Amino acid sequence: MLLEINDLFVRYGKSVMALQGASLEVGEGELVSLIGQNGAGKSTLLKSIVGIAPVYSGSITYDGAAVTDKKFSVIKNRIAYVPEDRGVFSSLTVGENLRLGAVSRRDKGNIDGDIERELARFPILEEYWGRGASLLSGGEQQQLAIARALLLRPKLLLLDEPTLGLAPIIVDLIFDVIEQLRDEGVTILLVEQNAVRSIEVSNRSYVMQAPGKILGSGNANELAANDAVVDYLGFS
Ligand code: ATP
């Protein structure tokens, strides 16, 4: 497995144990989703992979290396993270944001070609190339954030609720892109509240229940046969 998370506990401050023994695996080329209600601990799990959540115990192994090791570099290991707030640089233009995505890349070859490819994937970014990122709508900023992450040529792409608060047509577009990336073989861990769509497009899904426990996992059929999961997600 490319990513292996085992019995992970994350504690904020003295009292909030946001993850309580979560385990999850992502194989190379897989699209895996992590679904569950608000506050379940989904974002915390992604943050722990990129080193911005306080891991209390348990292990996170990426390509055989311990992520919690001080020497582990998220960028060098080509892990791209798109946070829930998208994290675009609002004082920069669309083009500058995209170029920044490739800055920390070791292989500098064909960055222009990669930018062209992402502009073809997200035509609105080509149209708004010189526009300040702060002037973009939420859906446009989300496209920019994903395109920028892809310019790292990620071996693992972490997406935190990429469709949150977006209009239905943009939600469709983002899910289309996620399917496209899956078909291109990009390894993705997707955090989503849209359980039905996520289970549909993913190879496997994990269902997380507060506080920070995995309730069940599997493909669509396996989840549909899991009573605890069906009860929690409220599927009929
Ligand atoms: P959402 O969909 O609302 O983002 P989530 O499933 O991603 O939910 P997390 O954001 O990981 O959940 O939060 C898990 C728990 O940890 C919640 O109880 C939340 O209040 C708490 N929490 C998250 N970040 C912090 C923090 N920096 N300090 C203290 N508690 C936190």
Side-chain angles (χ1 to χ4, degrees):
M1 287 287 167
L2 182 63
L3 177 73
E4 288 180 49
I5 297 181
N6 197 22
D7 205 19
L8 191 67
F9 285 71
V10 169
R11 189 169 80 173
Y12 292 112
K14 286 212 170 87
S15 54
V16 182
M17 197 63 97
L19 291 187
Q20 302 194 10
S23 298
L24 171 155
E25 294 181 339
V26 183
E28 209 160 336
E30 265 196 312
L31 166 53
V32 172
S33 57
L34 176 60
I35 54 186
Q37 288 160 2
N38 271 334
K42 308 178 299 297
S43 300
T44 296
L45 186 133
L46 288 193
K47 286 177 185 168
S48 66
I49 301 168
V50 293
I52 55 173
V55 171
Y56 180 74
S57 65
S59 65
I60 310 173
T61 312
Y62 174 84
D63 212 3
V67 166
T68 41
D69 192 307
K70 281 196 186 74
K71 286 190 210 124
F72 186 87
S73 161
V74 167
I75 297 284
K76 277 186 197 149
N77 280 286
R78 303 225 309 269
I79 300 175
Y81 167 58
V82 181
E84 198 174 310
D85 66 4
R86 299 163 194 141
V88 302
F89 295 101
S90 49
S91 58
L92 302 181
T93 65
V94 167
E96 287 164 343
N97 266 280
L98 284 176
R99 290 212 170 273
L100 265 184
V103 156
S104 46
R105 219 161 87 176
R106 279 182 157 179
D107 55 323
K108 302 287 182 198
N110 205 21
I111 288 175
D112 288 345
D114 288 347
I115 288 178
E116 285 303 319
R117 194 189 56 226
E118 295 317 323
L119 293 179
R121 198 192 307 275
F122 300 105
I124 196 75
L125 300 182
E126 177 151 41
E127 192 178 331
Y128 292 164
W129 176 264
R131 187 175 285 200
S134 62
L135 301 175
L136 302 186
S137 70
E140 289 156 0
Q141 286 194 11
Q142 187 64 57
Q143 293 175 67
L144 176 57
I146 296 173
R148 192 182 64 187
L150 290 171
L151 282 164
L152 185 65
R153 286 192 184 221
K155 273 185 76 176
L156 174 64
L157 176 62
L158 306 174
L159 298 174
D160 196 353
E161 304 222 16
T163 67
L164 189 71
L166 303 182
I169 191 165
I170 306 295
V171 172
D172 287 347
L173 185 150
I174 300 285
F175 270 105
D176 282 351
V177 165
I178 290 170
E179 282 188 84
Q180 207 179 79
L181 294 171
R182 175 199 66 196
D183 295 345
E184 287 172 20
V186 181
T187 309
I188 302 174
L189 178 55
L190 166 70
V191 161
E192 258 294 337
Q193 282 199 39
N194 192 332
V196 175
R197 295 286 292 270
S198 302
I199 292 170
E200 217 172 73
V201 300
S202 299
N203 299 105
R204 292 183 302 114
S205 302
Y206 288 82
V207 180
M208 185 173 261
Q209 184 180 32
K213 288 196 174 81
I214 301 293
L215 188 61
S217 65
N219 62 26
N221 291 335
E222 288 161 345
L223 290 175
N226 183 328
D227 291 343
V229 165
V230 172
D231 272 358
Y232 174 68
L233 294 176
F235 292 154
S236 53

